[in-house]
Amino acid sequence: MENQSSQMEQNPQTDNTSTSNTKAILKGLTLDELKNYFSKTGEQRFRGEQVFNWMYNHLVTDFFDMANVPKVLRTKLKDTCEIMTLEFVDSQISPLNGTKKYIFETSDKYKIETVLIPEEDRTTLCVSTQVGCPLDCKFCATGLMGYKKNLTAGEIFDQYVLVAKDFGKDNITNIVFMGMGEPLLNYNNSVKALEIFAQELTTGISKKKITVSTAGIAPKIRELADKNLNVKLAFSLHSCFDDIRSGIMPINDKYPLKQNIEAVKYYARKTRTRITFEYIMLDGINDRDEDVEALTKLCKEFPCKVNVIPFNSLQHMDPTGVSAELKSTPHERINEFVQQLRENNITVMIRNTQGEDIAAACGQLAIKYND
Ligand code: SAH
């Protein structure tokens, strides 16, 4: 795992400007990249802005629909460029809470999943950044399938395009990079996708409603802070103790808590945002009184809040080793744990486990398809 993940960090990129069948793939290019592409190919730079608007705002997939682009240029674009799109494969809606799960296919035939979560006051789109994941977190279904490939920025953004076409662009209020994969191990593509999402011109979704979730790649958290994108950061904490965290998240051996906590504090300071700690409740592992104490101490140090998440069982996947031992904390104890934190003046939310009935927890449906 160690070698695999460090390899991935050194060489994690799939270059979006590369060509397929000698055609340039435009989806995934940022505004600046598109303008540069047009000036490089002898066109005016503002054409880049027009195409950006068509692809990412109007969700157009055919150059001939780009009404304000001259016909000659549309023909040239058709001959020399491609607007990559994912293929729709399947979708499922949870009868319990309306969570909708989509399976899309990349041009190289990998299946990825995207989840739409309607709630009372918002509708969140949860996108994947990798096919599979190299991190091998013991509680995570995606971890069980291993790592297959990094998604390009276009493949990350196109999940939004397809769901927006199905569900209505204006109905999607929040974006979370919380699907399959570790966004900060696919750093350049994730950042490019974030740059596209964060352009008011495209989604109209404010940066405050875009969240990147990470298992903790400390140097990349700092790098993202310095990017001044100012999107929100969620840190998958799950334990305040290194030995316990390493037991369920092997990446903790490489980037231990101290290093990650310093990085998230830097992120909070630099971006002036509040960090969210994600905390899956695992029976007997991270739900003890000393965990309340340690979490309280940590949360007093800087602006943050805690999202307590009931554990989605992996039993249907026949896990082995540590994964086979994991059980969710009983509801009463979850409530008590939250109560104790609140008494200590910590902001805590309990996240409803969305779509357990349709295997919505992180990667479970796509695994079925990739098999
Ligand atoms: N790699 C990133 C993003 C993917 S995981 C990260 O680690 O944050 C997104 C969130 O889903 C994480 O908080 C993760 O801990 C949570 N998650 C994974 N498996 C889960 C399960 N079985 N039950 C509940 N939440 C889970």
Side-chain angles (χ1 to χ4, degrees), residues 10-50:
Q10 282 154 18
N11 189 17
Q13 309 316 330
T14 316
D15 184 356
N16 279 306
T17 55
S18 67
T19 53
S20 115
N21 306 325
T22 71
K23 286 187 174 183
I25 298 173
L26 299 192
K27 195 173 280 159
L29 299 188
T30 62
L31 185 56
D32 280 346
E33 286 175 333
L34 273 169
K35 286 184 187 165
N36 290 341
Y37 177 78
F38 279 89
S39 66
K40 208 176 69 190
T41 52
E43 303 294 337
Q44 288 167 293
R45 285 179 71 77
F46 79 92
R47 297 289 177 206
E49 195 164 325
Q50 289 178 328

mmCIF file of all heavy atoms in Angstrom, residues 10-50:
data_model
loop_
_atom_site.group_PDB
_atom_site.id
_atom_site.type_symbol
_atom_site.label_atom_id
_atom_site.label_comp_id
_atom_site.label_asym_id
_atom_site.label_seq_id
_atom_site.Cartn_x
_atom_site.Cartn_y
_atom_site.Cartn_z
ATOM 1 N N GLN A 10 3.756 10.649 -6.880
ATOM 2 C CA GLN A 10 4.783 11.183 -7.767
ATOM 3 C C GLN A 10 4.267 11.318 -9.197
ATOM 4 O O GLN A 10 4.676 12.169 -9.936
ATOM 5 C CB GLN A 10 6.000 10.255 -7.762
ATOM 6 C CG GLN A 10 6.849 10.461 -6.515
ATOM 7 C CD GLN A 10 7.615 9.206 -6.187
ATOM 8 O OE1 GLN A 10 7.778 8.335 -7.023
ATOM 9 N NE2 GLN A 10 8.079 9.117 -4.954
ATOM 10 N N ASN A 11 3.384 10.419 -9.574
ATOM 11 C CA ASN A 11 2.960 10.409 -10.966
ATOM 12 C C ASN A 11 1.449 10.238 -11.074
ATOM 13 O O ASN A 11 0.962 9.269 -11.630
ATOM 14 C CB ASN A 11 3.679 9.261 -11.682
ATOM 15 C CG ASN A 11 3.445 9.330 -13.169
ATOM 16 O OD1 ASN A 11 3.025 10.369 -13.670
ATOM 17 N ND2 ASN A 11 3.673 8.241 -13.877
ATOM 18 N N PRO A 12 0.723 11.183 -10.498
ATOM 19 C CA PRO A 12 -0.704 10.921 -10.392
ATOM 20 C C PRO A 12 -1.539 11.458 -11.546
ATOM 21 O O PRO A 12 -2.739 11.283 -11.538
ATOM 22 C CB PRO A 12 -1.069 11.668 -9.112
ATOM 23 C CG PRO A 12 -0.123 12.821 -9.088
ATOM 24 C CD PRO A 12 1.069 12.457 -9.926
ATOM 25 N N GLN A 13 -0.951 12.075 -12.507
ATOM 26 C CA GLN A 13 -1.789 12.841 -13.435
ATOM 27 C C GLN A 13 -2.093 12.149 -14.742
ATOM 28 O O GLN A 13 -1.277 11.464 -15.307
ATOM 29 C CB GLN A 13 -1.134 14.183 -13.759
ATOM 30 C CG GLN A 13 -0.727 14.962 -12.544
ATOM 31 C CD GLN A 13 -1.793 14.950 -11.458
ATOM 32 O OE1 GLN A 13 -2.972 14.868 -11.760
ATOM 33 N NE2 GLN A 13 -1.396 14.994 -10.219
ATOM 34 N N THR A 14 -3.282 12.386 -15.193
ATOM 35 C CA THR A 14 -3.606 12.031 -16.558
ATOM 36 C C THR A 14 -3.772 13.389 -17.233
ATOM 37 O O THR A 14 -4.557 14.203 -16.787
ATOM 38 C CB THR A 14 -4.943 11.272 -16.601
ATOM 39 O OG1 THR A 14 -4.912 10.337 -15.538
ATOM 40 C CG2 THR A 14 -5.126 10.568 -17.902
ATOM 41 N N ASP A 15 -3.027 13.647 -18.250
ATOM 42 C CA ASP A 15 -3.023 14.982 -18.819
ATOM 43 C C ASP A 15 -4.261 15.215 -19.674
ATOM 44 O O ASP A 15 -4.469 14.554 -20.680
ATOM 45 C CB ASP A 15 -1.748 15.130 -19.666
ATOM 46 C CG ASP A 15 -1.609 16.530 -20.217
ATOM 47 O OD1 ASP A 15 -2.529 17.344 -20.006
ATOM 48 O OD2 ASP A 15 -0.581 16.804 -20.843
ATOM 49 N N ASN A 16 -5.056 16.190 -19.270
ATOM 50 C CA ASN A 16 -6.294 16.459 -19.992
ATOM 51 C C ASN A 16 -6.099 17.078 -21.362
ATOM 52 O O ASN A 16 -6.987 17.053 -22.192
ATOM 53 C CB ASN A 16 -7.164 17.425 -19.190
ATOM 54 C CG ASN A 16 -7.910 16.677 -18.140
ATOM 55 O OD1 ASN A 16 -8.594 15.720 -18.445
ATOM 56 N ND2 ASN A 16 -7.759 17.080 -16.911
ATOM 57 N N THR A 17 -4.952 17.708 -21.551
ATOM 58 C CA THR A 17 -4.747 18.361 -22.829
ATOM 59 C C THR A 17 -4.285 17.336 -23.870
ATOM 60 O O THR A 17 -4.141 17.648 -25.023
ATOM 61 C CB THR A 17 -3.697 19.493 -22.743
ATOM 62 O OG1 THR A 17 -2.510 18.920 -22.210
ATOM 63 C CG2 THR A 17 -4.172 20.619 -21.877
ATOM 64 N N SER A 18 -4.077 16.101 -23.429
ATOM 65 C CA SER A 18 -3.632 15.081 -24.357
ATOM 66 C C SER A 18 -4.737 14.798 -25.373
ATOM 67 O O SER A 18 -5.881 15.209 -25.209
ATOM 68 C CB SER A 18 -3.278 13.806 -23.615
ATOM 69 O OG SER A 18 -4.448 13.277 -23.070
ATOM 70 N N THR A 19 -4.407 14.091 -26.400
ATOM 71 C CA THR A 19 -5.380 13.918 -27.462
ATOM 72 C C THR A 19 -5.885 12.479 -27.514
ATOM 73 O O THR A 19 -5.215 11.564 -27.094
ATOM 74 C CB THR A 19 -4.745 14.262 -28.820
ATOM 75 O OG1 THR A 19 -3.561 13.488 -28.938
ATOM 76 C CG2 THR A 19 -4.422 15.729 -28.917
ATOM 77 N N SER A 20 -7.109 12.324 -27.998
ATOM 78 C CA SER A 20 -7.610 10.980 -28.237
ATOM 79 C C SER A 20 -7.875 10.901 -29.727
ATOM 80 O O SER A 20 -8.530 11.775 -30.298
ATOM 81 C CB SER A 20 -8.885 10.766 -27.426
ATOM 82 O OG SER A 20 -9.992 10.579 -28.227
ATOM 83 N N ASN A 21 -7.387 9.902 -30.410
ATOM 84 C CA ASN A 21 -7.455 9.797 -31.867
ATOM 85 C C ASN A 21 -6.983 11.101 -32.509
ATOM 86 O O ASN A 21 -7.611 11.614 -33.424
ATOM 87 C CB ASN A 21 -8.882 9.526 -32.353
ATOM 88 C CG ASN A 21 -9.467 8.310 -31.667
ATOM 89 O OD1 ASN A 21 -8.728 7.372 -31.390
ATOM 90 N ND2 ASN A 21 -10.750 8.341 -31.386
ATOM 91 N N THR A 22 -5.937 11.667 -31.953
ATOM 92 C CA THR A 22 -5.350 12.947 -32.378
ATOM 93 C C THR A 22 -6.268 14.160 -32.179
ATOM 94 O O THR A 22 -5.941 15.260 -32.582
ATOM 95 C CB THR A 22 -4.864 12.931 -33.855
ATOM 96 O OG1 THR A 22 -6.018 12.901 -34.699
ATOM 97 C CG2 THR A 22 -3.962 11.745 -34.168
ATOM 98 N N LYS A 23 -7.426 13.976 -31.568
ATOM 99 C CA LYS A 23 -8.268 15.145 -31.272
ATOM 100 C C LYS A 23 -7.998 15.642 -29.851
ATOM 101 O O LYS A 23 -7.830 14.824 -28.942
ATOM 102 C CB LYS A 23 -9.740 14.767 -31.405
ATOM 103 C CG LYS A 23 -10.192 14.615 -32.850
ATOM 104 C CD LYS A 23 -11.687 14.416 -32.909
ATOM 105 C CE LYS A 23 -12.171 14.417 -34.351
ATOM 106 N NZ LYS A 23 -13.616 14.289 -34.438
ATOM 107 N N ALA A 24 -7.996 16.952 -29.689
ATOM 108 C CA ALA A 24 -7.777 17.504 -28.351
ATOM 109 C C ALA A 24 -9.065 17.360 -27.534
ATOM 110 O O ALA A 24 -10.156 17.633 -28.040
ATOM 111 C CB ALA A 24 -7.402 18.969 -28.465
ATOM 112 N N ILE A 25 -8.932 16.906 -26.306
ATOM 113 C CA ILE A 25 -10.116 16.762 -25.453
ATOM 114 C C ILE A 25 -10.301 18.064 -24.668
ATOM 115 O O ILE A 25 -9.439 18.441 -23.881
ATOM 116 C CB ILE A 25 -9.946 15.572 -24.496
ATOM 117 C CG1 ILE A 25 -9.817 14.288 -25.316
ATOM 118 C CG2 ILE A 25 -11.124 15.476 -23.531
ATOM 119 C CD1 ILE A 25 -9.466 13.067 -24.498
ATOM 120 N N LEU A 26 -11.409 18.738 -24.925
ATOM 121 C CA LEU A 26 -11.592 20.055 -24.297
ATOM 122 C C LEU A 26 -12.200 19.980 -22.904
ATOM 123 O O LEU A 26 -11.907 20.814 -22.054
ATOM 124 C CB LEU A 26 -12.457 20.958 -25.189
ATOM 125 C CG LEU A 26 -11.892 21.273 -26.584
ATOM 126 C CD1 LEU A 26 -12.696 22.391 -27.226
ATOM 127 C CD2 LEU A 26 -10.412 21.666 -26.531
ATOM 128 N N LYS A 27 -13.050 18.975 -22.662
ATOM 129 C CA LYS A 27 -13.678 18.944 -21.344
ATOM 130 C C LYS A 27 -12.624 18.588 -20.294
ATOM 131 O O LYS A 27 -11.900 17.616 -20.441
ATOM 132 C CB LYS A 27 -14.841 17.960 -21.277
ATOM 133 C CG LYS A 27 -15.696 18.226 -20.033
ATOM 134 C CD LYS A 27 -16.947 17.408 -20.008
ATOM 135 C CE LYS A 27 -18.021 17.995 -20.889
ATOM 136 N NZ LYS A 27 -19.021 17.008 -21.253
ATOM 137 N N GLY A 28 -12.565 19.416 -19.263
ATOM 138 C CA GLY A 28 -11.532 19.239 -18.245
ATOM 139 C C GLY A 28 -10.537 20.389 -18.273
ATOM 140 O O GLY A 28 -9.794 20.600 -17.324
ATOM 141 N N LEU A 29 -10.531 21.147 -19.375
ATOM 142 C CA LEU A 29 -9.637 22.311 -19.411
ATOM 143 C C LEU A 29 -10.256 23.460 -18.607
ATOM 144 O O LEU A 29 -11.460 23.704 -18.682
ATOM 145 C CB LEU A 29 -9.384 22.766 -20.853
ATOM 146 C CG LEU A 29 -8.706 21.770 -21.799
ATOM 147 C CD1 LEU A 29 -8.346 22.456 -23.117
ATOM 148 C CD2 LEU A 29 -7.448 21.178 -21.174
ATOM 149 N N THR A 30 -9.409 24.143 -17.855
ATOM 150 C CA THR A 30 -9.873 25.298 -17.093
ATOM 151 C C THR A 30 -10.033 26.489 -18.044
ATOM 152 O O THR A 30 -9.620 26.417 -19.208
ATOM 153 C CB THR A 30 -8.861 25.665 -15.998
ATOM 154 O OG1 THR A 30 -7.635 26.013 -16.645
ATOM 155 C CG2 THR A 30 -8.620 24.503 -15.040
ATOM 156 N N LEU A 31 -10.570 27.577 -17.519
ATOM 157 C CA LEU A 31 -10.791 28.757 -18.353
ATOM 158 C C LEU A 31 -9.483 29.231 -18.993
ATOM 159 O O LEU A 31 -9.416 29.466 -20.204
ATOM 160 C CB LEU A 31 -11.426 29.873 -17.505
ATOM 161 C CG LEU A 31 -11.838 31.138 -18.236
ATOM 162 C CD1 LEU A 31 -12.784 30.845 -19.386
ATOM 163 C CD2 LEU A 31 -12.494 32.115 -17.255
ATOM 164 N N ASP A 32 -8.430 29.331 -18.178
ATOM 165 C CA ASP A 32 -7.140 29.785 -18.716
ATOM 166 C C ASP A 32 -6.612 28.816 -19.761
ATOM 167 O O ASP A 32 -6.095 29.235 -20.806
ATOM 168 C CB ASP A 32 -6.108 29.922 -17.589
ATOM 169 C CG ASP A 32 -6.308 31.221 -16.830
ATOM 170 O OD1 ASP A 32 -7.048 32.090 -17.349
ATOM 171 O OD2 ASP A 32 -5.746 31.349 -15.723
ATOM 172 N N GLU A 33 -6.750 27.533 -19.489
ATOM 173 C CA GLU A 33 -6.239 26.531 -20.431
ATOM 174 C C GLU A 33 -6.988 26.602 -21.764
ATOM 175 O O GLU A 33 -6.386 26.451 -22.827
ATOM 176 C CB GLU A 33 -6.365 25.125 -19.837
ATOM 177 C CG GLU A 33 -5.335 24.851 -18.749
ATOM 178 C CD GLU A 33 -5.542 23.493 -18.079
ATOM 179 O OE1 GLU A 33 -6.678 22.992 -18.044
ATOM 180 O OE2 GLU A 33 -4.542 22.951 -17.561
ATOM 181 N N LEU A 34 -8.288 26.842 -21.677
ATOM 182 C CA LEU A 34 -9.064 26.943 -22.919
ATOM 183 C C LEU A 34 -8.665 28.174 -23.720
ATOM 184 O O LEU A 34 -8.489 28.111 -24.938
ATOM 185 C CB LEU A 34 -10.559 26.994 -22.610
ATOM 186 C CG LEU A 34 -11.252 25.637 -22.482
ATOM 187 C CD1 LEU A 34 -12.652 25.818 -21.919
ATOM 188 C CD2 LEU A 34 -11.333 24.926 -23.829
ATOM 189 N N LYS A 35 -8.496 29.290 -23.008
ATOM 190 C CA LYS A 35 -8.082 30.512 -23.720
ATOM 191 C C LYS A 35 -6.726 30.277 -24.381
ATOM 192 O O LYS A 35 -6.519 30.661 -25.532
ATOM 193 C CB LYS A 35 -7.980 31.679 -22.736
ATOM 194 C CG LYS A 35 -9.330 32.206 -22.286
ATOM 195 C CD LYS A 35 -9.091 33.404 -21.393
ATOM 196 C CE LYS A 35 -10.336 33.928 -20.752
ATOM 197 N NZ LYS A 35 -10.024 34.837 -19.633
ATOM 198 N N ASN A 36 -5.812 29.633 -23.641
ATOM 199 C CA ASN A 36 -4.488 29.348 -24.214
ATOM 200 C C ASN A 36 -4.596 28.423 -25.412
ATOM 201 O O ASN A 36 -3.898 28.599 -26.403
ATOM 202 C CB ASN A 36 -3.569 28.695 -23.163
ATOM 203 C CG ASN A 36 -3.173 29.689 -22.087
ATOM 204 O OD1 ASN A 36 -3.280 30.905 -22.296
ATOM 205 N ND2 ASN A 36 -2.747 29.199 -20.939
ATOM 206 N N TYR A 37 -5.485 27.442 -25.307
ATOM 207 C CA TYR A 37 -5.643 26.501 -26.416
ATOM 208 C C TYR A 37 -6.074 27.250 -27.679
ATOM 209 O O TYR A 37 -5.545 27.029 -28.765
ATOM 210 C CB TYR A 37 -6.660 25.409 -26.075
ATOM 211 C CG TYR A 37 -6.888 24.471 -27.233
ATOM 212 C CD1 TYR A 37 -5.959 23.471 -27.529
ATOM 213 C CD2 TYR A 37 -7.991 24.633 -28.077
ATOM 214 C CE1 TYR A 37 -6.129 22.642 -28.629
ATOM 215 C CE2 TYR A 37 -8.168 23.801 -29.174
ATOM 216 C CZ TYR A 37 -7.241 22.813 -29.447
ATOM 217 O OH TYR A 37 -7.404 21.997 -30.543
ATOM 218 N N PHE A 38 -7.029 28.163 -27.513
ATOM 219 C CA PHE A 38 -7.513 28.887 -28.696
ATOM 220 C C PHE A 38 -6.435 29.801 -29.272
ATOM 221 O O PHE A 38 -6.278 29.876 -30.485
ATOM 222 C CB PHE A 38 -8.821 29.620 -28.388
ATOM 223 C CG PHE A 38 -9.989 28.689 -28.476
ATOM 224 C CD1 PHE A 38 -10.419 27.965 -27.371
ATOM 225 C CD2 PHE A 38 -10.639 28.478 -29.680
ATOM 226 C CE1 PHE A 38 -11.471 27.066 -27.461
ATOM 227 C CE2 PHE A 38 -11.690 27.570 -29.786
ATOM 228 C CZ PHE A 38 -12.108 26.864 -28.672
ATOM 229 N N SER A 39 -5.671 30.478 -28.405
ATOM 230 C CA SER A 39 -4.647 31.354 -28.992
ATOM 231 C C SER A 39 -3.545 30.519 -29.646
ATOM 232 O O SER A 39 -3.033 30.872 -30.700
ATOM 233 C CB SER A 39 -4.107 32.353 -27.976
ATOM 234 O OG SER A 39 -3.409 31.711 -26.972
ATOM 235 N N LYS A 40 -3.247 29.360 -29.062
ATOM 236 C CA LYS A 40 -2.221 28.470 -29.635
ATOM 237 C C LYS A 40 -2.637 27.942 -31.018
ATOM 238 O O LYS A 40 -1.803 27.674 -31.872
ATOM 239 C CB LYS A 40 -2.045 27.278 -28.678
ATOM 240 C CG LYS A 40 -0.671 26.632 -28.688
ATOM 241 C CD LYS A 40 -0.581 25.536 -27.627
ATOM 242 C CE LYS A 40 -1.459 24.342 -27.972
ATOM 243 N NZ LYS A 40 -1.600 23.370 -26.885
ATOM 244 N N THR A 41 -3.949 27.796 -31.213
ATOM 245 C CA THR A 41 -4.411 27.252 -32.493
ATOM 246 C C THR A 41 -4.880 28.366 -33.450
ATOM 247 O O THR A 41 -5.664 28.134 -34.376
ATOM 248 C CB THR A 41 -5.557 26.232 -32.273
ATOM 249 O OG1 THR A 41 -6.560 26.844 -31.458
ATOM 250 C CG2 THR A 41 -5.072 24.963 -31.618
ATOM 251 N N GLY A 42 -4.414 29.586 -33.184
ATOM 252 C CA GLY A 42 -4.628 30.691 -34.119
ATOM 253 C C GLY A 42 -5.990 31.358 -34.024
ATOM 254 O O GLY A 42 -6.399 32.081 -34.925
ATOM 255 N N GLU A 43 -6.699 31.132 -32.923
ATOM 256 C CA GLU A 43 -8.018 31.756 -32.749
ATOM 257 C C GLU A 43 -7.932 32.839 -31.666
ATOM 258 O O GLU A 43 -6.940 32.943 -30.954
ATOM 259 C CB GLU A 43 -9.062 30.704 -32.335
ATOM 260 C CG GLU A 43 -9.192 29.547 -33.288
ATOM 261 C CD GLU A 43 -9.747 29.960 -34.662
ATOM 262 O OE1 GLU A 43 -10.414 31.003 -34.745
ATOM 263 O OE2 GLU A 43 -9.481 29.239 -35.637
ATOM 264 N N GLN A 44 -9.015 33.596 -31.540
ATOM 265 C CA GLN A 44 -9.010 34.635 -30.502
ATOM 266 C C GLN A 44 -9.248 34.013 -29.119
ATOM 267 O O GLN A 44 -10.021 33.055 -28.995
ATOM 268 C CB GLN A 44 -10.093 35.655 -30.819
ATOM 269 C CG GLN A 44 -9.706 36.524 -32.008
ATOM 270 C CD GLN A 44 -10.900 37.310 -32.500
ATOM 271 O OE1 GLN A 44 -11.865 36.744 -33.016
ATOM 272 N NE2 GLN A 44 -10.849 38.611 -32.305
ATOM 273 N N ARG A 45 -8.586 34.584 -28.137
ATOM 274 C CA ARG A 45 -8.647 33.996 -26.783
ATOM 275 C C ARG A 45 -10.073 33.941 -26.225
ATOM 276 O O ARG A 45 -10.432 33.025 -25.511
ATOM 277 C CB ARG A 45 -7.761 34.802 -25.816
ATOM 278 C CG ARG A 45 -6.283 34.564 -25.994
ATOM 279 C CD ARG A 45 -5.467 35.415 -25.016
ATOM 280 N NE ARG A 45 -5.593 34.964 -23.623
ATOM 281 C CZ ARG A 45 -4.965 33.913 -23.133
ATOM 282 N NH1 ARG A 45 -4.178 33.178 -23.894
ATOM 283 N NH2 ARG A 45 -5.112 33.582 -21.870
ATOM 284 N N PHE A 46 -10.879 34.946 -26.576
ATOM 285 C CA PHE A 46 -12.222 34.975 -25.966
ATOM 286 C C PHE A 46 -13.097 33.806 -26.422
ATOM 287 O O PHE A 46 -14.098 33.479 -25.792
ATOM 288 C CB PHE A 46 -12.917 36.324 -26.209
ATOM 289 C CG PHE A 46 -13.506 36.474 -27.583
ATOM 290 C CD1 PHE A 46 -14.827 36.128 -27.826
ATOM 291 C CD2 PHE A 46 -12.745 36.964 -28.619
ATOM 292 C CE1 PHE A 46 -15.383 36.265 -29.095
ATOM 293 C CE2 PHE A 46 -13.277 37.110 -29.894
ATOM 294 C CZ PHE A 46 -14.602 36.757 -30.140
ATOM 295 N N ARG A 47 -12.692 33.143 -27.507
ATOM 296 C CA ARG A 47 -13.431 31.944 -27.937
ATOM 297 C C ARG A 47 -13.351 30.873 -26.831
ATOM 298 O O ARG A 47 -14.272 30.079 -26.662
ATOM 299 C CB ARG A 47 -12.856 31.365 -29.232
ATOM 300 C CG ARG A 47 -12.968 32.309 -30.422
ATOM 301 C CD ARG A 47 -14.405 32.449 -30.887
ATOM 302 N NE ARG A 47 -14.496 33.412 -31.973
ATOM 303 C CZ ARG A 47 -15.590 34.109 -32.238
ATOM 304 N NH1 ARG A 47 -16.673 33.972 -31.498
ATOM 305 N NH2 ARG A 47 -15.612 34.957 -33.233
ATOM 306 N N GLY A 48 -12.237 30.890 -26.121
ATOM 307 C CA GLY A 48 -12.058 29.939 -25.009
ATOM 308 C C GLY A 48 -13.136 30.142 -23.962
ATOM 309 O O GLY A 48 -13.701 29.183 -23.420
ATOM 310 N N GLU A 49 -13.439 31.407 -23.697
ATOM 311 C CA GLU A 49 -14.465 31.717 -22.706
ATOM 312 C C GLU A 49 -15.847 31.271 -23.197
ATOM 313 O O GLU A 49 -16.660 30.748 -22.437
ATOM 314 C CB GLU A 49 -14.451 33.220 -22.434
ATOM 315 C CG GLU A 49 -15.218 33.565 -21.186
ATOM 316 C CD GLU A 49 -14.898 34.974 -20.702
ATOM 317 O OE1 GLU A 49 -13.732 35.410 -20.850
ATOM 318 O OE2 GLU A 49 -15.814 35.611 -20.187
ATOM 319 N N GLN A 50 -16.078 31.472 -24.487
ATOM 320 C CA GLN A 50 -17.377 31.050 -25.047
ATOM 321 C C GLN A 50 -17.562 29.536 -24.928
ATOM 322 O O GLN A 50 -18.609 29.055 -24.484
ATOM 323 C CB GLN A 50 -17.471 31.468 -26.518
ATOM 324 C CG GLN A 50 -17.635 32.970 -26.706
ATOM 325 C CD GLN A 50 -17.682 33.361 -28.178
ATOM 326 O OE1 GLN A 50 -17.051 32.725 -29.019
ATOM 327 N NE2 GLN A 50 -18.412 34.426 -28.477
#
